[in-house]
Amino acid sequence: MGKWLIAATLCLPAAVMAQSGTTNGLTDFPEIPKAEPFREQVFDVAIDDPYRWMEKADRRADLETWVNASSLHTTTELAALPGRQGLLKEMEALSRANSRYFSAQEAGGKLFFEMLAPDKQVAVLMVRDGGKDRVLLDPMAGTDGKTPRAISSYSVSPDGRFAAIHVGEGGGETGAIRIYDVATGRPTADTLTPVWGEFRVGWIDDATVIYTRLASTAAGADQMKGMVAFLHRMGTSIDQDVAVLGGTGPDHGFRVDPTQFPIVLPDPTSPWVLAYAANARAEIPLAVGRLSDLRAGRPAWIKLADYDDRINSGDIVGDTLYYLTSKTDENGELRAIDLADGTPSLNRSRVVMRSENRVLTSIAATDSGLYVTTTLPSAAAELWFLPKVGGTPRKLALPASQSIDDMAVTPDRRSVTFSMGGYTSTDVYYRATAGQVVPVGLANTAPPSAARRTVVQETATSRDGTRVPLTIVYSGARKGPGPTVIEAYGSYGVSGQPYYSPGWDIWNQRGGTYAYCHIRGGGELGEAWHRGGMQANKVNSHADLTACAERLIKLGYATPRTLGIFGASAAGLLVPPTAIKRPDLFAAVVTRVGIVNPIRLGAANNGPNQYGEMGDPQTRDGFAALAAQDSTLLLPKASGGTDYLFTVGLNDKRVDPWMSAKLAALMRAKWGDRHLVLIRSDGKAGHGIGSTRDQGLEERADIFAFFLNRFGAPGFVK
């Protein structure tokens, strides 16, 4: 459910060897948790779940006691590896070499952006006004520094006078939005809480906002269920806020299920407003309403689309709604509706842009025309401009083989800003106005070595003959098999975009190879590619990742003794199952905050809204789909094993830490000391979003020390 790439530095000879089952300085935590027999039959599947007790709120202390003790054992042994401290120091030096810029927006003639300076633990929010940069908010200012506080997201009023900033604590993503006066940097009296970190305030005007509030529930309950969107007038108490979408009150013409997220996207330049009933799936039910009704607190929504209409994004400019749909073309089709011409309906829409063998990914509407991003099989992006006056789409001249990110329309609808970066270049921000692109003067610095990297686009042939894109990155002359890590994700139609990482750059310079396997389930080749790796088709993703591993070995980049796989979050449906099925291919497996026990989504925080993407455990077909990607059910059938590291954040509200703990306990009970099964936890971290620089560096150093230890790398064995 988020993007996280590991980075590190090392110096290795071309040939390094490891053998699963040897300690090399790492051992399993001796204590295996107590099994408490629990058996049930779900449809026609027999479930033996002796660690079901880990899910219980009243047993949380028992769970954390074992996880923390196991983690202490893991981190102590990793810290004792001879090369680990040097690795961490190199990572620290790289991390602090330059400031990093991200999340840029323009409003009211000002440029806002987040900056992680070399001497900071978390990013601060900056504003550039009149050519001068200053700090608007340092989330750690005035604290004792012991508990992480980080900016999750922000949005700016149309005139640039106010900024609504979400801050989360302890690595968690639940927090409060406070509104700040940009001129003085002081907070107003407005505090909107509790709010999920991804959900930004929408500005109706310079003093009226829309925000989505989490449900108020008992401790341990799922706050992601039953959210409500509220209208708030600055200077008033949130007790006076008016519910405008979601909840148990009137639906105003657009019913939002408790597992959906009510999102309202007002635009002060349009008489119309867009509303979503979103959740963790690619398709979005949507509705429109009049801005005047919303401002008055009496919305009258007109529902236009449900899941079956397969709309994945939309935008309004003036009286026109533009949207992308894959209903008639798996690669996407851009359509438009004139909202002022009678009652809005998809049946009255018109085609604006066809895919023509491109994969249409996202849109941004301005008063001069539309910007459309398309995705290549490598997950690199292209940007197209369609003038409002008509004509054919024009591809803009931009750097090739890069990703496009952080696209934001300015409040006056004149321009869009966005960043571009890739494996050989760092992110640079641009502004596009009427199809003309210029830099905004915000660029991250890359060392000269970045441009000397080699990026190879390969393909692997999966079990059913499907050709799977495979990106391989290395530096210098190839010297034969060496340390190689494959990353993959493959959920929600999210593509594995190229981006620059200083750590991966040095990994490449020192002889290591990084590979990204663009498996089915992602969006690289359109919606058919996504659906080919979701729900019951996730087994295709397992086969695709296996094919990428075999291809890397055949091409001579690695051997099974120098090959590892890594995945985070929803990649828990992918990485452990693939390794369980083919332990002979991998020396080491790392799963970070992974969904590894999906048949239990119904009992998990943030679980029920995953049903559309992964499978509904309440139905026979949905449960069968989840069972085929659940490592706790695949494990008893495993004929062999390899070595695993699971990392968790104990404040994670996206993926419950008990999932990884249960799988680790089951592996330990099955294998004893024949294979390493390690846990690493952080009591002041969540899903990784909001962690401090040092937390991230320590975790990454441990992950790479584990990989290198399992590869038998000199300096990382004892």
Side-chain angles (χ1 to χ4, degrees):
M1 323 172 200
K3 173 181 173 182
W4 189 86
L5 295 177
I6 44 184
T9 62
L10 70 161
C11 184
L12 297 173
V16 288
M17 304 290 283
Q19 179 66 47
S20 182
T22 62
T23 65
N24 282 352
L26 298 180
T27 62
D28 285 305
F29 180 55
E31 180 185 341
I32 300 175
K34 180 182 178 181
E36 299 180 4
F38 181 91
R39 295 178 176 85
E40 64 179 346
Q41 187 90 7
V42 181
F43 299 109
D44 55 354
V45 179
I47 308 295
D48 186 3
D49 195 355
Y51 300 107
R52 179 72 60 90
W53 62 265
M54 291 183 176
E55 302 176 14
K56 298 179 179 178
D58 61 357
R59 301 290 297 277
R60 178 73 179 202
D62 296 336
L63 168 67
E64 291 193 7
T65 295
W66 180 72
V67 167
N68 286 332
S70 183
S71 176
L72 179 61
H73 174 88
T74 297
T75 55
T76 299
E77 290 198 339
L78 287 170
L81 297 178
R84 195 265 186 190
Q85 188 60 26
L87 172 63
L88 177 61
K89 287 183 177 180
E90 292 183 32
M91 292 172 68
E92 289 174 337
L94 285 166
S95 177
R96 299 181 188 277
N98 297 287
S99 293
R100 177 177 169 241
Y101 309 105
F102 52 98
S103 300
Q105 303 176 30
E106 288 186 322
K110 306 177 183 71
L111 176 65
F112 298 82
F113 57 93
E114 291 186 60
M115 179 181 76
L116 180 59
D119 62 338
K120 293 290 186 179
Q121 283 291 328
V122 299
V124 301
L125 182 60
M126 304 288 293
V127 58
R128 181 175 296 171
D129 189 4
K132 296 182 179 179
D133 295 350
R134 58 183 169 86
V135 176
L136 179 57
L137 177 67
D138 180 348
M140 293 293 287
T143 72
D144 60 10
K146 295 180 180 179
T147 299
R149 297 182 78 245
I151 296 170
S152 306
S153 61
Y154 74 95
S155 65
V156 184
S157 64
D159 61 4
R161 290 177 53 213
F162 298 102
I165 307 171
H166 184 285
V167 173
E169 295 191 4
E173 295 175 77
T174 300
I177 292 175
R178 300 200 71 178
I179 299 178
Y180 289 79
D181 185 310
V182 172
T184 65
R186 297 191 184 98
T188 67
D190 304 274
T191 300
L192 314 177
T193 187
V195 178
W196 188 250
E198 285 181 297
F199 297 157
R200 300 177 180 181
V201 154
W203 295 87
I204 292 178
D205 53 42
D206 297 316
T208 312
V209 302
I210 298 290
Y211 70 101
T212 300
R213 190 190 299 173
L214 290 166
S216 297
T217 59
D222 188 359
Q223 285 187 293
M224 303 294 280
K225 295 176 67 175
M227 295 187 208
V228 180
F230 284 92
L231 180 146
H232 173 78
R233 305 184 196 281
M234 288 176 60
T236 66
S237 168
I238 63 170
D239 295 334
Q240 300 175 39
D241 292 351
V242 179
V244 294
L245 186 64
T248 57
D251 61 23
H252 304 292
F254 186 26
R255 183 182 178 276
V256 177
D257 186 89
T259 63
Q260 295 173 318
F261 310 150
I263 306 295
V264 179
L265 303 170
D267 176 7
T269 69
S270 170
W272 298 89
V273 62
L274 185 61
Y276 291 154
N279 62 9
R281 58 189 295 174
E283 309 86 1
I284 311 171
L286 62 82
V288 295
R290 291 197 172 273
L291 186 66
S292 57
D293 294 335
L294 182 65
R295 181 184 283 112
R298 298 186 299 272
W301 301 112
I302 303 169
K303 185 175 181 179
L304 296 180
D306 214 326
Y307 291 120
D308 291 343
D309 295 299
R310 293 172 63 172
I311 292 174
N312 61 30
S313 63
D315 203 359
I316 292 177
V317 60
D319 288 316
T320 305
L321 167 67
Y322 297 94
Y323 65 93
L324 282 178
T325 174
S326 61
K327 186 172 184 177
T328 57
D329 184 341
E330 296 285 0
N331 287 341
E333 185 176 69
L334 176 57
R335 303 186 69 88
I337 301 173
D338 185 348
L339 299 175
D341 184 14
T343 302
S345 167
L346 296 188
N347 293 330
R348 300 173 63 248
S349 66
R350 68 181 189 278
V351 176
V352 177
M353 179 178 175
R354 301 187 190 279
S355 69
E356 297 179 355
N357 297 318
R358 301 176 291 246
V359 176
L360 308 187
T361 308
S362 66
I363 57 174
T366 69
D367 58 9
S368 60
L370 300 176
Y371 295 87
V372 182
T373 58
T374 59
T375 299
L376 301 173
S378 65
E382 296 175 328
L383 186 61
W384 301 74
F385 179 66
L386 288 76
K388 184 178 181 180
V389 296
T392 59
R394 172 169 60 90
K395 187 170 74 170
L396 301 183
L398 293 169
S401 303
Q402 296 191 11
S403 61
I404 295 175
D405 206 356
D406 272 353
M407 182 168 282
V409 180
T410 56
D412 59 10
R413 287 282 170 177
R414 291 192 65 248
S415 307
V416 295
T417 56
F418 58 93
S419 67
M420 292 198 73
Y423 293 118
T424 61
S425 59
T426 53
D427 283 353
V428 176
Y429 278 86
Y430 299 90
R431 178 194 308 111
T433 306
Q436 301 301 310
V437 181
V438 297
V440 302
L442 195 65
N444 290 283
T445 302
S449 58
R452 294 195 291 266
R453 302 171 86 189
T454 298
V455 181
V456 177
Q457 300 300 335
E458 264 286 347
T459 58
T461 303
S462 195
R463 177 181 57 195
D464 61 1
T466 299
R467 294 179 66 80
V468 182
L470 172 64
T471 300
I472 306 168
V473 187
Y474 65 90
S475 291
R478 286 183 53 195
K479 299 177 182 178
T484 302
V485 175
I486 312 173
E487 183 177 13
Y489 185 70
S491 287
Y492 315 111
V494 173
S495 301
Q497 297 179 320
Y499 88 111
Y500 178 76
S501 161
W504 278 123
D505 186 355
I506 293 181
W507 169 280
N508 292 154
Q509 291 181 58
R510 303 295 182 88
T513 298
Y514 167 79
Y516 193 96
C517 182
H518 302 276
I519 62 171
R520 280 173 281 186
E524 287 88 342
L525 295 174
E527 182 58 18
W529 193 254
H530 167 220
R531 290 175 178 266
M534 64 180 279
Q535 297 184 2
N537 291 329
K538 184 57 71 177
V539 293
N540 292 333
S541 305
H542 304 160
D544 293 351
L545 182 53
T546 298
C548 284
E550 292 174 331
R551 183 62 173 161
L552 285 165
I553 292 169
K554 184 176 182 179
L555 291 171
Y557 287 97
T559 72
R561 294 183 174 184
T562 66
L563 184 59
I565 49 174
F566 168 83
S569 196
L573 307 170
L574 166 72
V575 168
T578 302
I580 287 171
K581 293 177 179 181
R582 288 296 307 273
D584 57 304
L585 283 178
F586 309 106
V589 180
V590 177
T591 302
R592 185 180 179 279
V593 294
I595 301 176
V596 296
N597 187 200
I599 63 167
R600 297 296 298 158
L601 282 175
N605 280 304
N606 193 36
N609 78 76
Q610 309 290 333
Y611 292 174
E613 172 71 20
M614 300 173 187
D616 184 348
Q618 302 169 110
T619 68
R620 179 178 293 275
D621 288 346
F623 188 84
L626 292 170
Q629 50 194 313
D630 191 307
S631 293
T632 69
L633 296 186
L634 296 173
L635 181 64
K637 306 172 187 176
S639 59
T642 186
D643 297 332
Y644 291 80
L645 171 64
F646 298 94
T647 76
V648 298
L650 294 179
N651 290 334
D652 195 344
K653 301 301 182 185
R654 288 185 186 242
V655 180
D656 278 314
W658 51 255
M659 285 204 176
S660 291
K662 286 175 66 176
L663 179 56
L666 288 167
M667 286 179 166
R668 290 282 290 113
K670 177 180 176 66
W671 291 327
D673 294 330
R674 295 193 302 278
H675 304 289
L676 280 180
V677 182
L678 307 180
I679 289 180
R680 185 196 188 279
S681 68
D682 189 331
K684 294 183 178 180
H687 206 63
I689 302 165
S691 294
T692 66
R693 182 201 303 270
D694 284 351
Q695 284 178 300
L697 290 171
E698 290 283 352
E699 181 184 21
R700 294 168 195 179
D702 282 344
I703 288 172
F704 268 87
F706 173 77
F707 272 129
L708 299 174
N709 175 270
R710 294 297 87 196
F711 295 163
F716 289 88
V717 296
K718 293 178 67 177

